[in-house]
Amino acid sequence: MEQFVINIGRQLGSGGRTVGEIIARRLGVKLYDKELINLAARESGICSEFFEKADEKESRGVISTVVGYLRAPFVGDDGGVTNVLSNDALFKIQSDVIRAVAARESAVFVGRCADYILRENPRCVNVFLTADDADRIGRIRSRQGCTAEEARAMMERVDARRASYYNYYSSRTWGEAATYHLCVSTSPLGDEGTADFILEFAARKLNMKF
């Protein structure tokens, strides 16, 4: 089977990770979400804490991407990473990891600008997931054990952060229909039904049978 990638952008509480897991399981491929942090850390030799702090956050540093990236792999005598690391440098490293994974295997990526990073790969299907606010709040509350007000505040905060990150690195618009091949709400069909819908679309786009 020819290699392919399904990239999933998502609003908080829309079920992006869950739908991605369903798709990955049905296709027999790996899902990469937070796993990219550990993978990038392992392949770069940089402590995963740096990637966790920069995860889906746009750069706020003054260090240039090129300088940060070139010096990032080097550590000081104490074994700690030098302080030249910027979010831009970490994004560059993580981008290299995403491209390397896509070059060697079919996969499902959740977030991390994977659709933009792999924009020159013709074997990609780029999807954005949303859901009704009530469903999103319910999902967040069941996962976090918080109030509806806290869940709504979390939705607004995380979505704003994801949008800022995506827009900064891609120069595109997070969540805008024109940015993706398919935008779909998980509310009408549920997680399994949404996975069915995405797989049917992906099969047609990639001219494959799953």
Side-chain angles (χ1 to χ4, degrees):
M1 182 181 293
E2 191 175 354
Q3 287 180 200
F4 61 89
V5 173
I6 296 178
N7 300 307
I8 300 177
R10 75 285 185 226
Q11 289 183 315
L12 184 69
S14 65
R17 166 87 190 196
T18 302
V19 172
E21 288 175 339
I22 295 169
I23 291 172
R25 184 178 67 249
R26 292 189 189 177
L27 296 178
V29 302
K30 290 183 181 178
L31 177 137
Y32 292 90
D33 185 0
K34 292 286 187 182
E35 296 80 2
L36 283 168
I37 293 174
N38 293 330
L39 188 57
R42 185 166 65 249
E43 297 199 4
S44 67
I46 297 172
C47 178
S48 61
E49 181 180 357
F50 285 90
F51 291 96
E52 290 171 359
K53 289 182 177 179
D55 190 33
E56 294 196 300
K57 299 182 181 72
E58 80 279 16
S59 178
R60 298 183 187 278
V62 296
I63 307 299
S64 73
T65 301
V66 174
V67 172
Y69 179 60
L70 290 176
R71 296 184 61 186
F74 296 92
V75 297
D77 294 336
D78 61 354
V81 179
T82 56
N83 61 4
V84 300
L85 288 175
S86 66
N87 285 14
D88 285 349
L90 296 174
F91 177 81
K92 174 66 167 64
I93 295 169
Q94 187 166 266
S95 297
D96 289 346
V97 169
I98 289 172
R99 280 189 285 266
V101 169
R104 69 172 180 252
E105 65 186 77
S106 295
V108 176
F109 290 103
V110 178
R112 279 97 199 157
C113 280
D115 61 311
Y116 174 73
I117 292 165
L118 300 174
R119 63 193 178 279
E120 295 181 2
N121 185 335
R123 301 290 296 168
C124 284
V125 178
N126 303 322
V127 181
F128 188 84
L129 296 184
T130 183
D132 296 343
D133 282 359
D135 292 336
R136 295 174 64 197
I137 289 172
R139 193 188 294 262
I140 294 169
R141 291 189 66 188
S142 66
R143 187 173 62 219
Q144 301 290 336
C146 59
T147 66
E149 291 75 16
E150 290 170 335
R152 184 175 292 279
M154 191 181 303
M155 279 167 42
E156 294 174 355
R157 182 175 66 254
V158 174
D159 281 356
R161 189 188 74 202
R162 288 176 177 173
S164 182
Y165 172 86
Y166 185 90
N167 297 349
Y168 175 84
Y169 285 110
S170 73
S171 298
R172 299 177 179 180
T173 303
W174 182 83
E176 185 176 84
T179 301
Y180 310 89
H181 297 128
L182 176 69
C183 294
V184 60
S185 170
T186 58
S187 291
L189 300 177
D191 295 342
E192 293 283 348
T194 300
D196 289 337
F197 188 78
I198 293 172
L199 284 170
E200 181 179 347
F201 177 87
R204 293 189 177 214
K205 183 183 183 299
L206 299 171
N207 193 28
M208 298 176 68
K209 289 185 178 181
F210 294 132

